[in-house]
Amino acid sequence: MINVGAGTGSYEPSQTVLAVEPSSVMITQRPPGSARALEASAESIPLSDDSADAVMALLTVHHWSDLEAGIGELRRIARQRIVIFTFDHHINRRFWLLDEYLPEAAALDDTRAVAVDRLAALLGGARIETVLIPHDCTDGFLAAFWRRPEAYLDPQVRAGISMFAQTSDEVIQPGLARLSEDLSSGRWHQRHADLLDREALDAGYRLLVADL
């Protein structure tokens, strides 16, 4: 298994033999014992054809500068399977945090979003699976805290979410101030009472599996 756009290795299974990541900073943050990391971009992976049985790319394709080149590289180095974890931005955009509090930040993020159908076509066909987010999700991506809204007020939580890291405080802070006020007054809980007893949410996350 090769993990492309691996970041700090948050999502890597034990079968991972190599991580491909363009950021030297993220590579240095990978935990001890994780797979060996190669500093390279998804668009130009310095590996031979058919390098691994499987290749994965998790919450990364929307950061690539040349999607077609990146997908072409995944298809070149994978022998049997490609797995991509991404999001349908039309559904993700309706997530309460973006819709009600951070529409300006969401609009900026929309410019990088990749249509799931386009990804499937570039892969030459793929099975598309809906990934529901549990209310106690232990990861820290954007919608992970959908039932724990106070988490978005924590700078440490926001530091692990790319949308916050790549959007200016001038855009983010007014919405967070409104969220803080709505949590203090109870308005958020009244408006989203339907979420409080739910175990999982479809926030638009999708898993694409292409068998080659």
Side-chain angles (χ1 to χ4, degrees), residues 3-183:
N3 185 11
V4 176
T8 59
S10 300
Y11 308 103
E12 283 178 9
S14 58
Q15 301 95 326
T16 305
V17 296
L18 181 68
V20 177
E21 168 55 44
S23 169
S24 59
V25 174
M26 286 194 171
I27 289 175
T28 62
Q29 294 173 354
R30 293 172 61 80
S34 58
R36 179 174 69 88
L38 175 66
E39 187 174 342
S41 69
E43 296 86 350
S44 181
I45 302 174
L47 296 173
S48 60
D49 296 358
D50 302 325
S51 292
D53 289 338
V55 177
M56 65 182 188
L58 310 182
L59 293 178
T60 179
V61 295
H62 56 291
H63 294 299
W64 296 357
S65 60
D66 187 334
L67 181 67
E68 288 82 359
I71 298 299
E73 285 290 82
L74 299 191
R75 298 186 66 177
R76 182 181 65 80
I77 66 173
R79 284 193 294 269
Q80 297 178 10
R81 176 170 288 184
I82 298 172
V83 177
I84 295 178
F85 183 44
T86 186
F87 58 92
D88 183 325
H89 72 283
H90 295 295
I91 299 174
N92 191 251
R93 183 66 176 76
R94 298 197 296 268
F95 175 45
W96 63 259
L97 178 68
L98 304 180
D99 185 45
E100 298 171 21
Y101 298 99
L102 300 173
E104 297 88 355
L108 293 174
D109 218 37
D110 282 349
T111 62
R112 302 180 303 170
V114 178
V116 172
D117 289 346
R118 182 186 177 202
L119 269 179
L122 289 173
L123 287 168
R127 183 172 74 254
I128 301 172
E129 301 179 6
T130 297
V131 180
L132 300 179
I133 309 304
H135 72 91
D136 56 354
C137 182
T138 57
D139 211 322
F141 52 86
L142 179 64
F145 307 97
W146 60 269
R147 215 178 83 176
R148 295 166 287 169
E150 64 283 347
Y152 296 111
L153 303 179
D154 184 339
Q156 272 194 308
V157 169
R158 297 199 303 272
I161 299 173
S162 63
M163 188 195 73
F164 287 109
Q166 297 175 358
T167 307
S168 69
D169 279 349
E170 289 78 7
V171 173
I172 294 293
Q173 287 304 323
L176 293 180
R178 292 196 306 274
L179 175 59
S180 179
E181 292 170 4
D182 286 353
L183 289 173

